[in-house]
């Protein structure tokens, strides 16, 4: 099983981190051990001072495919959820400055909790109008809508499948909207699609 992530897929988020808006999807992966399968608890690692939350819509691939044309891409995913792309921003900043891969800042254990999946049809009136949000300790800190995506889900599937065979069960974190911020030990993060509560994750 593969977990793909897309960086800078919402212009306002690229801006808040002073990153340019990409011309092609920016792709990285998390290992399966980034998922929290039993308890949705992030044990804050001791080697970072600055873990950020990035709430993202997550697609689940429902059939295998390679070189998928954009017009057929919608047949390859039918379930969606929300996940958090936890990022050790201090470590990522240092690695980026050296031009090194940022794997440890993004792929550490527990760095990718994913909520309950729902059928795509229940997520919004269309894939171009899905609202999602993150609450931290009961307050909304991130709010996004797929109408603001730089690369649509179908474009992402077409792009990814050029390089990687997509297999049933693979996940795609589709990028975060603006409002990323630091988490502290004790924080409770809750993520929604519309008003459907799909993920609760505690930081310990
Ligand atoms: Zn992200």
């Amino acid at each position: 099983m593969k977990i793909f992530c897309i960086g800078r897929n919402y212009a306002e988020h690229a801006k808040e981190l002073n990153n340019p808006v990409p011309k092609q999807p920016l792709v990285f992966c998390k290992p399966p051990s980034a998922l929290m399968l039993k308890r949705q608890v992030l044990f804050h690692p001791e080697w970072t001072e600055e873990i950020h939350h990035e709430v993202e819509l997550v697609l689940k691939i429902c059939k295998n495919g390679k070189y998928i044309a954009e017009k057929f891409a919608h047949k390859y995913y039918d379930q969606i959820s929300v996940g958090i792309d936890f990022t050790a921003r201090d470590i990522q900043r240092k690695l980026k400055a050296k031009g090194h891969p940022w794997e440890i800042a993004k792929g550490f254990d527990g760095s990718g909790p994913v909520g309950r999946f729902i059928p795509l049809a229940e997520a919004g009136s269309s894939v171009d109008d899905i609202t999602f949000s993150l609450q931290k300790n009961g307050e909304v800190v991130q709010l996004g809508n797929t109408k603001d995506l730089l690369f649509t889900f179908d474009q992402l599937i077409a792009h990814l499948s050029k390089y990687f065979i997509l297999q049933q069960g693979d996940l795609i974190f589709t990028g975060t909207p603006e409002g990323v911020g630091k988490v502290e030990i004790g924080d409770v993060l809750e993520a929604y699609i519309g008003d459907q509560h799909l993920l609760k994750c505690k930081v310990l």
Side-chain angles (χ1 to χ4, degrees):
M1 181 235 220
K2 303 187 286 302
I3 306 168
F4 298 104
C5 300
I6 307 299
R8 304 175 200 165
N9 204 16
Y10 289 86
E12 289 303 316
H13 167 64
K15 260 193 235 168
E16 75 181 343
L17 295 183
N18 292 318
N19 285 319
V21 169
K23 294 196 175 67
Q24 273 204 330
L26 194 163
V27 178
F28 59 95
C29 292
K30 286 181 189 273
S33 47
L35 294 175
M36 300 177 179
L37 294 177
K38 287 191 181 150
R39 288 173 68 205
Q40 305 282 46
V41 172
L42 174 69
F43 293 100
H44 196 304
E46 75 291 353
W47 43 259
T48 169
E49 300 292 313
E50 192 186 6
I51 292 189
H52 276 190
H53 55 74
E54 296 189 356
V55 73
E56 314 203 358
L57 290 169
V58 179
L59 303 176
K60 191 188 270 186
I61 296 298
C62 62
K63 66 175 186 172
N64 299 0
K66 175 86 180 163
Y67 282 105
I68 300 162
E70 192 182 321
K71 65 177 173 180
F72 298 123
H74 65 276
K75 296 175 191 270
Y76 289 80
Y77 59 97
D78 57 4
Q79 289 187 72
I80 191 165
S81 188
V82 265
I84 303 174
D85 169 19
F86 280 123
T87 305
R89 195 72 72 198
D90 49 352
I91 306 295
Q92 186 195 30
R93 211 179 287 123
K94 284 180 201 159
L95 291 167
K96 265 168 68 180
K98 292 184 196 158
H100 291 171
W102 61 38
E103 208 63 31
I104 58 171
K106 287 278 199 181
F108 59 88
D109 293 345
S111 61
V114 175
R116 177 169 59 84
F117 279 87
I118 58 171
L120 199 59
E122 289 174 18
S125 55
S126 82
V127 286
D128 305 319
D129 187 15
I130 299 174
T131 301
F132 61 108
S133 61
L134 182 72
Q135 293 188 9
K136 186 169 87 173
N137 306 323
E139 260 181 62
V140 178
V141 286
Q142 288 191 268
L143 180 63
N145 186 289
T146 50
K147 68 177 173 4
D148 299 317
L149 281 168
L150 295 173
F151 299 100
T152 64
F153 294 163
D154 291 351
Q155 287 170 332
L156 294 178
I157 300 268
H159 181 76
L160 284 169
S161 69
K162 256 195 258 179
Y163 305 95
F164 306 97
I165 183 166
L166 298 185
Q167 291 165 297
Q168 202 176 1
D170 287 349
L171 302 180
I172 304 172
F173 280 67
T174 56
T176 194
E178 71 271 26
V180 303
K182 198 174 168 205
V183 298
E184 307 285 351
I185 289 171
D187 283 347
V188 176
L189 300 165
E190 292 173 282
Y192 295 79
I193 291 179
D195 56 9
Q196 300 190 70
H197 182 274
L198 300 178
L199 172 67
K200 181 175 181 175
C201 176
K202 223 177 156 175
V203 183
L204 290 178

